[in-house]
Amino acid sequence: MSDTKSGDDKTLSVTPKKTLTLKRPGMEQGTVRQNFSHGRTKSVVVETKKRKFSLPGDKPEPAAAAPVPVFTPKPPVAAAPVVQEAPKAAPPPPPPAPVERSGMVLNELSRSEMEARRRALEGSKVREVEDRQRAAEEAKRRAEDEERRKREREESARRQAEEEARLQAEAESRRRAEEEARRRAPLAAELATADEEEEVKPKRAGAGAPVRRLVTPEVARPAKPTKGEEDRRRGKLTLNSALSDEDARARSLSSMRRRQEKFKRAMHNEPREKVMREVILPETITIQELAQRMSERAVDVVKFFMKQGQILKPGDVIDADTAELVATEFGHTVRRVAESDIEEGLFNIADNAEDLVPRPPVVTIMGHVDHGKTSLLDAIRNANVVSGEAGGITQHIGAYQVEKNGQKITFIDTPGHAAFTAMRARGAQATDIAILVVAADDSVMPQTIESISHAKAAGVPIIVAINKIDKHDADPQKVRSELLRHEVFVESMGGEVLDVEVSATKGTNLDKLLEAILLQAEILDLKANPDRTAEGVVIEAQLDKGRGPVATVLVQTGTLMPGDILVAGNEWGRVRALVNDRGEQIKEAPPAMPVEVLGLQGTPQAGDRFAVVNNEARAREITEYRQRLAREKAVAKHAGQRGSLEQMMSQLQTSGLKEFPLVIKGDVQGSIEAINAALDKLGTDEVRARIVHAGAGAITESDVSLAETSGAAIIGFNVRANVQARAAAAAAGIEVRYYSIIYNLVDDVKAALSGLLSPERRETFIGNAEILEIFDITKVGKIAGCRVTEGKVERGAGVRLIRDNVVIHEGTLKTLKRFKDEVSEVPGGQECGMAFQNYEDMRVGDVIECFRVEMVTRTL
């Protein structure tokens, strides 16, 4: 066998002279053991061939002579990736089948193996580059850390050197002071000695020269620095000194100076200088707060009260009068303020006359139920509001704005049902003109009279709209006549009140009604200042599921804009959006415009006044004060109702009052208010509806929990329960009733309260019988022989034994016989025998009264 190599190509020439062998130069052989599942293994022989790659400058080896049979394998793939497309070359010849000699097969490397090896080589090169980059970054980071630590060490050494230099300078100054003191000490001692020598005289007679007494001068010792003195004089605490094991930092120089001053005052009994203050006192204040405002100790104030005979604690609350006495005794001046002062300047801000401009009139439509108020407003607005109200009855205040001859008019529609008295009163207070709608076929009714009273109480002019004149039984003149009884004098009857005959369904004379409104508004000369903070009244409020608390407000003065901070009743918030009656978002709400306000923190009460304040702090302060006031009122209201369990039980036994607990949820605050008022009127001395909780919004799971705890029923007015609340109510067995008309709600609660009433015991007289003789029968007892003198006597009925017109016994009959037979009844004029159950004290001449007792169900 002869083997010839040229570059990467190999030519295998087979001759019969040499034996074919697998041991070729440049090849390495190894064994690899493969592991398989179930513990199976296999040894595989792996050959690694080292290929010789020629460089571009190498000369190719001379080709050998072509042998007879030629075996040409595939050329290897280049190592580097191809960037540009190479010119198309002839495809390589397909690899021939391996030559088989003596059962052995020679396999060359396939193209896929070469490609895999090339990719592995490239991946290793990329990883080497990345490793070098990471190593360089790590070295750079370590160098930066070392540099930073070196700077910190230098800075620490510099600070330590400065500190040591300062301490050395202080020690040097102290050393110089001590040397100066030692230097001056002998001189002072000599002066003292000379003075003593002059004073010492011989006191005995015949004494010789004066005796000199030498006094050894005492050298002043340097003051030993106290512990921590250096630390006190050091001033600022440094990191090194804090972390060192030296003595801890002592008190500051200022602290020592205050301590010395306090000690001097204690030694000389020097009183501290009194500081006179002006103490601001609210309506109530704690002793601790009063002491702080006076800059006195709370202990001294408590001692003052003890001298007056009162034992109080610093946390006790005292009223303003007591606090004023205390502050005056301590020598301070007092300025009294009320908590309500925080509301000063919130409402009724005076406007300059030159700032006022004309504004649209606010008109309230009032009248009896079903007299056509909402239909009249529909005809004016060209909208259908009645179809949106349950049962065709208005149960909310609706506020709308229309335009006539370029002039705007704001309408407020109020309910006419008796339960909505508060809504009608609220509508009358927020209005300029009241339109009294009276049906021509129904004339003046109870709510018509009530509407007249509200309008007169609010002092607003009335325009009478006689509606339904298109009906065949309409009598407008009768309406005018009946209005005279209630002091409403229309123009046609010689008065000043405008009246217009209209038909809401036909649209008759609606223009005349609008002209009458504009004429009345012109007489009133309505003006407001739009260039100031807005004020107004909340007409209606509700809790919307998607938008949160929504308040329908009427702007009375100023201009309301998004972003304003609003205070309405006990709630406040930043105006997020303004929506008009057509559902459009607007940028501003001028005076006399009704809008829906979004962005309040909670739902205000209908009828609350609102105002715009400057900042959130004032808004929060005002609302917190109002909420605290409301809580105190609620506590005061229920204070008398609290007590021990025994008191409550005895009260229930004595009063016999039965309560029907209810949890009421409605769509708006006005509806809740009307339902509360209607249910309060149903209560009597025996039964009443107790409203555990009432609020606007959907029925939630917490409402069901409250109803379960208090044993109440849940009533939803124009609202529904959510999924969780329905599931909780079903699990707890709580009844949830839904209503959309207030009539049905009141009727059902009335029926439930009637069921709580104890039935009435009604007694019916049947007859009388007189005892003629008493018979004593063995084994039976005494039997009275009687004659029925009036009515009849029945067996099983109640009987009374009357002697000398006094009831001796009341019970039932044991037997009623006619001759020897037991009978059910004995008619008048006949004789019979009667025996009482468990009673035998009967005498001749007694009267037996027979009666029937019936239990009659009562209703409210």
Side-chain angles (χ1 to χ4, degrees), residues 131-142:
D131 291 342
R132 283 197 296 273
Q133 289 178 353
R134 279 197 296 270
E137 291 175 358
E138 186 69 21
K140 182 180 178 183
R141 186 173 59 78
R142 282 198 298 270

Side-chain angles (χ1 to χ4, degrees), residues 44-65:
V44 180
V45 178
V46 178
E47 291 184 354
T48 305
K49 182 171 68 175
K50 297 182 179 178
R51 184 176 298 280
K52 181 179 179 183
F53 293 95
S54 60
L55 296 174
D58 294 346
K59 293 181 180 181
E61 295 179 0

Side-chain angles (χ1 to χ4, degrees), residues 306-360:
M306 290 177 70
K307 289 177 183 176
Q308 306 299 321
Q310 297 184 24
I311 307 299
L312 295 176
K313 301 186 297 296
D316 289 341
V317 179
I318 56 176
D319 59 0
D321 294 335
T322 309
E324 184 176 358
L325 286 173
V326 174
T328 308
E329 284 291 329
F330 277 83
H332 302 284
T333 57
V334 172
R335 182 160 64 91
R336 296 277 289 269
V337 295
E339 282 188 307
S340 57
D341 290 348
I342 61 174
E343 294 188 349
E344 283 185 1
L346 192 62
F347 297 111
N348 305 323
I349 302 173
D351 293 315
N352 296 325
E354 58 269 14
D355 296 333
L356 301 177
V357 296
R359 66 168 177 85

Side-chain angles (χ1 to χ4, degrees), residues 401-653:
Q401 200 166 43
V402 300
E403 195 165 338
K404 170 69 175 174
N405 299 333
Q407 293 179 278
K408 291 183 178 179
I409 305 172
T410 301
F411 284 97
I412 298 177
D413 183 18
T414 63
H417 186 255
F420 296 95
T421 304
M423 283 198 191
R424 277 192 297 282
R426 210 160 40 239
Q429 289 165 4
T431 190
D432 303 315
I433 302 167
I435 294 182
L436 186 65
V437 179
V438 188
D441 60 338
D442 206 11
S443 193
V444 176
M445 299 298 284
Q447 269 67 59
T448 313
I449 302 167
E450 190 184 305
S451 300
I452 294 170
S453 303
H454 288 319
K456 287 185 176 180
V460 296
I462 297 174
I463 297 176
V464 179
I466 303 173
N467 196 16
K468 302 185 182 180
I469 60 168
D470 55 320
K471 291 199 171 184
H472 65 279
D473 55 347
D475 189 358
Q477 197 59 35
K478 180 185 176 185
V479 173
R480 295 186 181 97
S481 302
E482 289 196 4
L483 286 174
L484 291 174
R485 299 185 198 170
H486 306 287
E487 299 180 0
V488 177
F489 306 106
V490 297
E491 281 186 333
S492 57
M493 306 291 284
E496 296 181 352
V497 177
L498 298 173
D499 65 305
V500 185
E501 296 180 6
V502 296
S503 171
T505 55
K506 304 292 183 183
T508 310
N509 292 339
L510 296 182
D511 291 341
K512 285 186 179 180
L513 180 62
L514 293 176
E515 287 171 3
I517 293 170
L518 293 175
L519 175 63
Q520 188 72 52
E522 191 175 343
I523 295 170
L524 293 174
D525 190 24
L526 303 169
K527 290 185 177 181
N529 179 12
D531 302 324
R532 51 158 287 185
T533 55
E535 286 182 24
V537 65
V538 178
I539 296 174
E540 195 56 270
Q542 61 180 339
L543 188 64
D544 193 276
K545 185 176 181 181
R547 300 185 295 171
V550 179
T552 304
V553 303
L554 176 69
V555 182
Q556 293 176 319
T557 183
T559 303
L560 187 62
M561 297 182 184
D564 286 346
I565 298 170
L566 199 71
V567 174
N570 296 347
E571 305 295 340
W572 73 278
R574 189 180 291 275
V575 179
R576 216 169 57 229
L578 298 173
V579 183
N580 63 8
D581 57 326
R582 292 182 294 279
E584 303 164 352
Q585 284 205 17
I586 55 176
K587 296 297 182 184
E588 60 178 22
M593 184 173 188
V595 288
E596 284 186 344
V597 175
L598 280 68
L600 291 172
Q601 303 282 335
T603 309
Q605 296 293 324
D608 286 340
R609 293 184 69 187
F610 78 85
V612 173
V613 295
N614 298 328
N615 50 41
E616 291 185 6
R618 178 142 195 254
R620 199 176 287 111
E621 189 179 10
I622 293 171
T623 51
E624 284 175 358
Y625 161 69
R626 291 179 173 177
Q627 288 168 3
R628 186 167 64 252
L629 218 60
R631 281 196 301 270
E632 289 172 358
K633 285 182 181 177
V635 168
K637 180 180 177 183
H638 298 292
Q641 300 176 5
R642 292 208 196 105
S644 64
L645 187 62
E646 292 81 1
Q647 291 173 344
M648 292 169 63
M649 295 303 293
S650 63
Q651 185 181 359
L652 282 174
Q653 290 172 359

Side-chain angles (χ1 to χ4, degrees), residues 94-117:
V99 180
E100 186 175 327
R101 290 288 186 271
S102 304
M104 300 176 66
V105 181
L106 182 62
N107 289 321
E108 290 288 338
L109 289 173
S110 65
R111 184 187 298 273
S112 60
E113 291 173 347
M114 293 298 294
E115 183 69 22
R117 292 185 181 186

